[in-house]
Amino acid sequence: GENVEQHPSTLSVQEGDSAVIKCTYSDSASNYFPWYKQELGKRPQLIIDIRSNVGEKKDQRIAVTLNKTAKHFSLHITETQPEDSAVYFCAASKPWGGKLIFGQGTELSVKP
Amino acid sequence: GAGVSQSPSNKVTEKGKDVELRCDPISGHTALYWYRQRLGQGLEFLIYFQGNSAPDKSGLPSDRFSAERTGESVSTLTIQRTQQEDSAVYLCASSLVRLLTYNEQFFGPGTRLTVL
């Protein structure tokens, strides 16, 4: 069935370092790949997304890459700051407003 | 404008009781989704409503779970005969689905359900 695997489950970095989170999806029909940030006790917030017709997208310190052949996508955060500390979820969905299949999450800790 | 809202924010109930959770989507959003998030885990899809189409119920874990949506507005998720394993945060999301656009979903704050 549909599945999204996310690694690592926890990630600790020093402030200013880069962080990379990787996801693999199983359904080749998926064409939309969002990333959500969830702070403790808060709702998930979309931080960046990528569609299947592009291989990379950047927004300031965050970037996402997509390899459709290998069915994996990654989140890159550069120059990490303590306020980046949160749980990050990747997800995948098929066209036309389908459900999101989420990865299990990565708890990112940025140490000052 | 207003975001997705959910009520109640917290619900404590006894095992075996029924509960109803409510979601108000963003006005004009045609699609509405329910997810469940157990402590320290990812979001599990439960059910999806899109316009007048039949809902996608493929994620409902048992027949104790059901949901309704009136037109393109409020939705209620009902859990009958609650069990302790139903304890989780139930998140609602909505999105505007149009031809040739994608599926950005906006989440509500969730309802934290505790079954004693």
Side-chain angles (χ1 to χ4, degrees):
Chain A
E2 303 155 312
N3 189 46
V4 174
E5 295 286 336
Q6 182 172 348
H7 299 281
S9 56
T10 61
L11 179 59
S12 181
V13 300
Q14 288 295 133
E15 182 176 2
D17 287 351
S18 295
V20 180
I21 303 169
K22 299 183 179 182
C23 290
T24 304
Y25 60 98
S26 62
D27 192 336
S28 56
S30 299
N31 73 338
Y32 174 66
F33 307 92
W35 287 87
Y36 284 84
K37 176 182 180 182
Q38 188 176 34
E39 296 175 343
L40 191 62
K42 301 284 184 65
R43 74 188 77 187
Q45 299 271 13
L46 180 73
I47 56 170
I48 193 167
D49 55 21
I50 190 165
R51 282 67 156 138
S52 60
N53 57 342
V54 298
E56 184 174 359
K57 182 178 177 181
K58 284 185 180 180
D59 183 3
Q60 300 183 353
R61 295 186 298 108
I62 59 174
V64 58
T65 58
L66 171 65
N67 183 328
K68 285 218 75 179
T69 302
K71 292 193 284 188
H72 67 69
F73 56 113
S74 301
L75 177 71
H76 303 250
I77 306 174
T78 59
E79 300 171 26
T80 53
Q81 301 167 3
E83 52 264 37
D84 294 330
S85 296
V87 180
Y88 291 80
F89 292 97
C90 63
S93 81
K94 296 186 210 181
W96 316 140
K99 62 193 176 190
L100 288 173
I101 304 300
F102 282 85
Q104 288 300 301
T106 296
E107 183 174 3
L108 174 65
S109 174
V110 180
K111 299 185 186 308
Chain B
V4 178
S5 61
Q6 292 186 245
S7 62
S9 54
N10 280 285
K11 177 71 177 178
V12 180
T13 191
E14 293 179 348
K15 178 181 172 180
K17 301 279 191 183
D18 298 352
V19 295
E20 254 190 24
L21 313 180
R22 177 189 168 107
C23 172
D24 282 271
I26 293 172
S27 178
H29 277 194
T30 55
L32 186 147
Y33 313 78
W34 284 97
Y35 295 90
R36 177 171 70 179
Q37 187 174 30
R38 289 194 166 117
L39 186 63
Q41 301 204 8
L43 284 75
E44 301 172 70
F45 166 75
L46 296 177
I47 188 169
Y48 157 50
F49 297 90
Q50 166 56 22
N52 294 322
S53 302
D56 176 355
K57 303 180 181 180
S58 60
L60 294 179
S62 78
D63 59 8
R64 297 186 296 104
F65 288 72
S66 63
E68 293 184 349
R69 186 181 187 194
T70 306
E72 292 185 353
S73 61
V74 170
S75 175
T76 55
L77 176 69
T78 301
I79 309 173
Q80 295 178 309
R81 305 180 302 282
T82 51
Q83 303 294 313
Q84 288 181 332
E85 62 262 28
D86 300 334
S87 296
V89 175
Y90 288 83
L91 289 157
C92 174
S94 70
S95 69
L96 181 60
V97 178
R98 294 176 295 189
L99 191 64
L100 301 181
T101 64
Y102 289 83
N103 181 28
E104 181 176 349
Q105 297 185 19
F106 297 84
F107 282 85
T111 293
R112 181 176 298 279
L113 175 65
T114 303
V115 182
L116 301 176

